Amino acid sequence: MKKINIGIIGFGNIGAGVAKIINSRKSLLVDKIETEILIKKICDKDLTRKRDVAVDKNLLTNDAYEIINDPGIDIVVELMGGINPAKEFILAALKKGKHVVTANKALLAEHGNELFREANERGKNIYFEASVGAGIPIIKSIKEGLVANKFNSIFGIVNGTSNYVLTQMSKENCSFNNALSDAKLKGFAEKDPTFDIQGIDSAHKLVLLTYLTFGKFVNLKDIFIEGISQISAADIAYAKDLGYTIKLLAIAKKEVDELEVRVHPTLLPSEHLLASVDGVFNAIYVSSDLAGDLMFYGPGAGQLPAASAVVSDIVDLVQDIKAGLFRPTLNSKEDSSIKNLRKIEEFENKYYIRITAVDKPGVLAKISGILAKFGISIASVNQKKKVKSHVVPVVMVTHEVKGEL
Ligand code: HSE
């Protein structure tokens, strides 16, 4: 029986999950692909840490080049995260004629263009299913299941940490800080959750989803990014009264020959499918011209969901290697129909505004006068109960407005 050797760089939580699946599902995988996948080497800078999987000590090394330079290894699995030296290792592995599997969304979002180009030129592949939505097979679905489609938009909840925080704030009526502390306590937020909370992790994933659906590799700096730290429990409650649920969405939308890419808290109509996606779950809503509107839902993080996606990429590469196939990453050519990336000043949206106003005659008239001066039309106004003497929260929803409020 054919055997394919892989090397894993990064033996953290997901790396251990991959080893677990490859060892425990050996016969299931052999039955399906008639090939044995063997882990030939595992590299990590810390080999003493306790892991929840038993591997032969002889497989372990501190030196990634023992994997990269090993001619017997066909597939390098990069699970160390971060930009450097992960980028250096991937480039070196491609140069040595190896295919690569990675879950490194930050690296691909920032340097994917260069890495995919290098891979294409060398007739090798970089597969990255685990980088968006962990176990949800969203990348394969777009690349393969929806291959004949053109896309109108793709948007979704792609960060579990921030979705957990918003869900807690909504269900427990608690502050952002309390919800975040709770997320950390339960292991749903990292010690430094900046990337998750500020929308940067979502933006990394959006770069990849935009690339797959619209064939455009968007620069991170061209994405409008706003996180969730300014949202209060009151905003969530007021939005609920208006029939909306607040979610942090990553959005890519094409209109004629223009593309809009943005990450920000969004008021979703509460009956929208995405509005009921709670806790650490992820969901991605794809609007396509042939298959229609589809939603992909599941756990967006976690050892086994992410490792399941990594193993699926390894199996795809094993099949390619056996068949002598090279399938370049879809949309390796940019879509020339996109002429412009819209800037925030060109987006047209309805806005939610909360103002803490002095409770006296004429204040509302003054506010609406200022808005009118800037051509902003109000769709609804609600004056809420006083929170302090003399001041009242005023909540407004505008009609479509161009630009950032
Ligand atoms: N930090 C990410 C999240 C994990 O919260 O969704 C998976 O990318």
Side-chain angles (χ1 to χ4, degrees):
M1 191 193 322
K2 177 112 180 130
K3 291 183 202 304
I4 298 267
N5 291 319
I6 68 165
I8 300 174
I9 304 177
F11 199 32
N13 191 36
I14 305 179
V18 171
K20 247 189 228 175
I21 295 176
I22 289 193
N23 294 341
S24 68
R25 297 285 155 96
K26 191 168 255 166
S27 65
L28 177 146
L29 290 171
V30 165
D31 286 349
K32 289 194 177 176
I33 61 172
E34 291 170 357
T35 305
E36 201 176 331
I37 299 167
L38 296 166
I39 300 175
K40 192 163 179 214
K41 278 241 140 41
I42 301 174
C43 167
D44 200 280
K45 59 180 188 300
D46 176 7
L47 298 175
T48 54
R49 191 157 23 113
K50 249 192 119 35
R51 283 150 176 112
D52 58 350
V53 62
V55 293
D56 180 349
K57 278 203 169 56
N58 295 319
L59 302 184
L60 301 175
T61 175
N62 281 129
D63 180 7
Y65 283 91
E66 277 192 33
I67 291 174
I68 294 162
N69 291 330
D70 184 336
I73 289 178
D74 292 298
I75 300 168
V76 171
V77 182
E78 182 276 308
L79 298 171
M80 62 186 299
I83 307 295
N84 282 310
K87 183 183 171 198
E88 172 199 320
F89 293 159
I90 291 179
L91 283 171
L94 292 169
K95 282 191 182 116
K96 287 283 174 182
K98 301 184 195 309
H99 294 284
V100 172
V101 174
T102 180
N104 196 334
K105 63 240 161 171
L107 174 64
L108 292 181
E110 286 185 30
H111 300 279
N113 230 348
E114 178 189 345
L115 293 169
F116 289 124
R117 198 182 330 112
E118 182 73 27
N120 276 351
E121 278 169 18
R122 295 185 180 274
K124 298 293 154 198
N125 252 318
I126 302 174
Y127 281 2
F128 51 101
E129 185 64 67
S131 59
V132 183
I136 307 170
I138 180 67
I139 292 174
K140 204 188 256 284
S141 299
I142 298 171
K143 274 171 66 175
E144 296 176 16
L146 299 172
V147 67
N149 285 260
K150 289 184 178 171
F151 300 93
N152 309 313
S153 62
I154 181 161
F155 54 94
I157 297 163
V158 289
N159 185 267
T161 305
S162 50
N163 201 44
Y164 179 84
V165 168
L166 289 176
T167 305
Q168 278 302 99
M169 288 172 73
S170 169
K171 297 226 151 99
E172 306 298 326
N173 191 29
C174 64
S175 70
F176 168 80
N177 285 332
N178 284 349
L180 183 58
S181 304
D182 177 65
K184 284 186 184 170
L185 214 72
K186 297 203 169 105
F188 297 147
E190 294 184 32
K191 234 197 249 154
D192 177 4
T194 315
F195 270 32
D196 296 315
I197 295 310
Q198 300 300 0
I200 298 160
D201 176 74
S202 296
H204 287 151
K205 293 164 180 166
L206 184 60
V207 169
L208 300 175
L209 293 175
T210 306
Y211 174 52
L212 292 159
T213 43
F214 297 110
K216 180 110 193 139
F217 215 98
V218 176
N219 209 311
L220 261 187
K221 70 171 175 36
D222 292 326
I223 301 183
F224 173 78
I225 308 174
E226 182 188 323
I228 61 165
S229 57
Q230 300 302 314
I231 296 172
S232 70
D235 291 320
I236 291 178
Y238 298 153
K240 208 182 269 176
D241 288 348
L242 292 164
Y244 295 104
T245 303
I246 300 182
K247 293 289 182 193
L248 180 70
L249 294 190
I251 303 167
K253 200 166 92 180
K254 189 178 175 193
E255 274 184 37
V256 196
D257 58 356
E258 296 193 318
L259 194 64
E260 230 171 83
V261 272
R262 45 195 164 97
V263 173
H264 54 75
T266 306
L267 270 74
L268 270 172
S270 294
E271 64 277 6
H272 194 284
L273 274 180
L274 280 175
S276 57
V277 175
D278 280 342
V280 287
F281 279 83
N282 281 192
I284 299 132
Y285 201 89
V286 184
S287 175
S288 66
D289 66 342
L290 304 176
D293 290 351
L294 306 119
M295 189 169 96
F296 298 84
Y297 169 87
Q303 185 189 56
L304 291 178
S308 159
V310 170
V311 173
S312 131
D313 279 346
I314 295 170
V315 166
D316 270 358
L317 285 171
V318 165
Q319 306 280 45
D320 289 355
I321 292 167
K322 278 171 60 186
L325 266 181
F326 168 57
R327 295 182 290 161
T329 306
L330 195 78
N331 290 336
S332 51
K333 285 197 191 83
E334 290 226 334
D335 180 350
S336 56
S337 72
I338 296 167
K339 305 282 182 240
N340 184 39
L341 267 187
R342 278 191 186 159
K343 299 201 173 59
I344 176 74
E345 305 84 64
E346 296 160 334
F347 296 171
E348 222 168 295
N349 282 309
K350 294 176 181 171
Y351 283 84
Y352 160 94
I353 307 171
R354 173 164 58 86
I355 296 169
T356 304
V358 177
D359 192 13
K360 66 175 195 192
V363 169
L364 263 185
K366 213 166 188 176
I367 296 170
S368 55
I370 293 169
L371 293 174
K373 206 169 111 192
F374 289 96
I376 299 164
S377 168
I378 300 164
S380 72
V381 185
N382 278 284
Q383 184 171 316
K384 299 291 172 186
K385 265 198 235 127
K386 272 186 200 170
V387 278
K388 275 189 241 151
S389 63
H390 305 309
V391 291
V392 280
V394 177
V395 170
M396 297 178 167
V397 177
T398 71
H399 285 296
E400 301 269 335
V401 177
K402 220 178 202 178
E404 184 185 9
L405 286 194

